[in-house]
Amino acid sequence: MQDDSGPLSPENTPEKTTLPATAAQTTPENPWPLALLSKNLKSYIDRAPATWVEGQVIELNRRANASYITLRDVDAEVSLSLTVWSTVMNRLELPLERGARVVAQVKPDFWVKTGRLSMQTRDIRPVGLGDLLARIERLRHALAAEGLFSEDRKLPLPLLPGRIGLITGRNSDAMKDVMRNAALRWPAVAFEVREVAVQGVNAVAEVTRALAELDAMAEVDVIVIARGGGSLEDLLPFSHEDLVRAVSAAQTPVVSAIGHEADRPLLDEVADLRASTPTDAAKRIVPDVGEELARARQSRAQLRRILTMLVSRETDRLNHIRSRPVLAAPQSMVERREEEISRLRSRALASVTAEVRRDADRIGHLRAQVRALSPQNTLDRGYAVVQLQADGSVVRDAAAVPPAARLRIRVAVGELAATEGA
């Protein structure tokens, strides 16, 4: 039974003058009475507000007036015992079953006489698939708005991965499918496997931890997260926000191979590549050795054809060039140039000779003009030049000649000496 009386305090106890005012002030010599502690605990707990919580029903014991439920967190190993009175249970449209996912409004209650804490359930409601899908859609829109699903963030897969990281269930068919089909396509493929829980409360933590380990290994070129389908409730860990953000932050390309076409988990959106099934993932991360060999043979044959055509085309070009007259009879080109040079030399010689003759005639003409104007020509016509023998000056005026001056008379041929007045 609950005791609704007010909390005890040093003032309303028989030894009010000696009891400590607070719990921190109690000592071995001066403790609180147990009733005082219980009353104060109840008073403190009663002030706590009612809280809505979500979990999965793992235990359900029905009694006449009440049902006792053990509720476990959907993402962690944490459980809580609830007390649900029949009036609350009777409001449910369908009977509550173990394994159901529910939300409940709970309020802690402390029983003073026994010191027992219980969680009283004021309301409880099952979480249907529609509610789960609505939550996933809200998270999908929120993460998309952050750009976590953008194509620009996705990493390209390597053409031929050296080592593949595989995260999958323990000894699961998905692991066998991926490894078998990858080995069939490329026998030399190598795997780094991490077997984890792929459903339940531990799935998110184990998958995230395995992803971090593989992402830190330099030899791992691509990481595959594989599971062979399942119900919506089983696949909820692959839509958990923590896992989605871990995949978005990974530096190694991540392939999602969950194999659930009806409701795509958020892992499919954030992964660098989505495979419809684990088998499809194996086909898309490694090439087929037979196809690659055939492609190599085809490329080699195509290269041979191209080279053959190129050599044939160049041979035809060489034959065509060789058949031209300049190459068929190369001396004809020299002969034509020789004839052209002889012709040009003859023209140059004729031009120079004609120019010399014209200049010679011009010089003869100028010489005749000079001779006609020269003093010698005047002397040849009978004139003479009289000069003073003393200084050689020409006599132009007879009055200017001193008496008895010696003169030199120059005629056409030779000279004569004379004296003035003789």
Side-chain angles (χ1 to χ4, degrees):
M1 295 291 291
Q2 298 187 55
D3 188 348
D4 295 332
S5 61
L8 293 179
S9 66
E11 288 73 14
N12 57 19
T13 59
E15 301 178 358
K16 63 180 180 179
T17 57
T18 60
L19 290 178
T22 64
Q25 296 173 345
T26 59
T27 65
E29 293 76 18
N30 194 12
W32 269 1
L34 185 60
L36 177 59
L37 174 63
S38 296
K39 287 289 186 179
N40 286 342
L41 283 175
K42 177 173 177 55
S43 176
Y44 182 80
I45 292 173
D46 284 347
R47 290 196 299 270
T51 306
W52 284 96
V53 296
E54 181 179 4
Q56 186 178 24
V57 177
I58 58 174
E59 291 185 6
L60 176 59
N61 296 318
R62 292 184 174 89
R63 298 290 185 268
N65 296 324
S67 297
Y68 301 95
I69 295 175
T70 300
L71 203 62
R72 185 176 66 185
D73 191 279
V74 295
D75 295 322
E77 287 288 352
V78 177
S79 60
L80 187 67
S81 297
L82 308 180
T83 300
V84 188
W85 299 106
S86 298
T87 55
V88 176
M89 293 291 285
N90 292 338
R91 291 201 297 264
L92 296 173
E93 295 182 2
L94 297 175
L96 199 62
E97 301 291 341
R98 292 182 61 182
R101 189 163 179 163
V102 299
V103 291
Q105 188 184 41
V106 299
K107 190 178 189 308
D109 187 23
F110 185 76
W111 295 78
V112 175
K113 290 185 177 181
T114 61
R116 183 168 59 88
L117 180 70
S118 66
M119 303 297 294
Q120 300 295 319
T121 304
R122 297 182 174 183
D123 195 2
I124 187 167
R125 304 174 187 177
V127 178
L129 293 180
D131 297 324
L132 295 176
L133 289 174
R135 293 184 190 178
I136 293 175
E137 283 303 312
R138 287 196 295 271
L139 181 59
R140 188 192 307 273
H141 289 304
L143 297 179
E146 292 184 30
L148 265 65
F149 304 154
S150 173
E151 291 296 327
D152 297 337
R153 296 175 60 94
K154 297 187 183 299
L155 303 174
L157 267 63
L159 177 63
L160 181 59
R163 183 172 290 271
I164 300 171
L166 178 58
I167 302 173
T168 184
R170 295 176 177 85
N171 197 28
S172 63
D173 291 337
M175 177 179 67
K176 298 173 184 177
D177 286 346
V178 173
M179 299 182 70
R180 180 177 62 253
N181 286 281
L184 288 174
R185 292 175 63 82
W186 196 269
V189 67
F191 282 91
E192 188 72 29
V193 182
R194 294 293 184 273
E195 297 183 68
V196 299
V198 290
Q199 69 182 62
V201 295
N202 297 321
V204 174
E206 293 188 15
V207 173
T208 304
R209 184 167 56 252
L211 176 65
E213 291 178 6
L214 295 175
D215 190 35
M217 299 176 66
E219 62 271 22
V220 173
D221 297 322
V222 63
I223 299 172
V224 180
I225 302 176
R227 176 193 161 94
S231 64
L232 176 62
E233 293 87 345
D234 294 339
L235 298 181
L236 286 177
F238 299 101
S239 292
H240 197 281
E241 183 176 358
D242 292 344
L243 178 57
V244 172
R245 292 190 180 278
V247 171
S248 176
Q251 301 299 311
T252 307
V254 177
V255 177
S256 171
I258 303 305
H260 194 268
E261 293 290 343
D263 302 296
R264 293 177 56 175
L266 299 185
L267 177 63
D268 285 351
E269 307 288 347
V270 74
D272 300 297
L273 175 67
R274 175 188 177 272
S276 58
T277 61
T279 301
D280 182 48
K283 293 179 179 180
R284 300 181 70 173
I285 58 178
V286 294
D288 184 86
V289 63
E291 294 178 358
E292 295 301 318
L293 290 174
R295 189 176 292 113
R297 289 192 295 269
Q298 181 181 3
S299 299
R300 189 181 296 113
Q302 183 178 6
L303 182 60
R304 185 181 295 109
R305 288 195 302 271
I306 292 174
L307 288 176
T308 301
M309 292 174 58
L310 177 61
V311 171
S312 177
R313 185 168 60 250
E314 295 302 319
T315 301
D316 292 341
R317 287 183 59 192
L318 288 175
N319 291 334
H320 178 67
I321 293 173
R322 192 181 297 115
S323 65
R324 293 178 180 176
V326 67
L327 293 180
Q331 70 276 8
S332 61
M333 181 177 62
V334 177
E335 292 173 353
R336 283 199 302 272
R337 293 295 181 267
E338 183 182 12
E339 294 174 357
E340 185 176 354
I341 291 173
S342 298
R343 188 167 55 253
L344 292 174
R345 187 170 56 246
S346 299
R347 289 175 57 186
L349 181 60
S351 297
V352 171
T353 302
E355 188 68 23
V356 169
R357 288 176 181 173
R358 282 195 300 272
D359 289 342
D361 292 342
R362 191 159 48 248
I363 291 171
H365 179 69
L366 292 174
R367 184 182 296 115
Q369 287 182 341
V370 170
R371 286 178 177 174
L373 298 174
S374 69
Q376 183 65 42
N377 194 43
T378 302
L379 295 175
D380 290 342
R381 291 202 301 272
Y383 293 92
V385 176
V386 179
Q387 295 176 289
L388 293 176
Q389 197 172 31
D391 56 7
S393 59
V394 177
V395 177
R396 291 183 175 83
D397 185 1
V401 177
R406 296 185 65 83
L407 302 175
R408 185 175 62 187
I409 302 171
R410 186 176 178 182
V411 294
V413 181
E415 293 182 355
L416 297 173
T419 301
E420 193 273 334

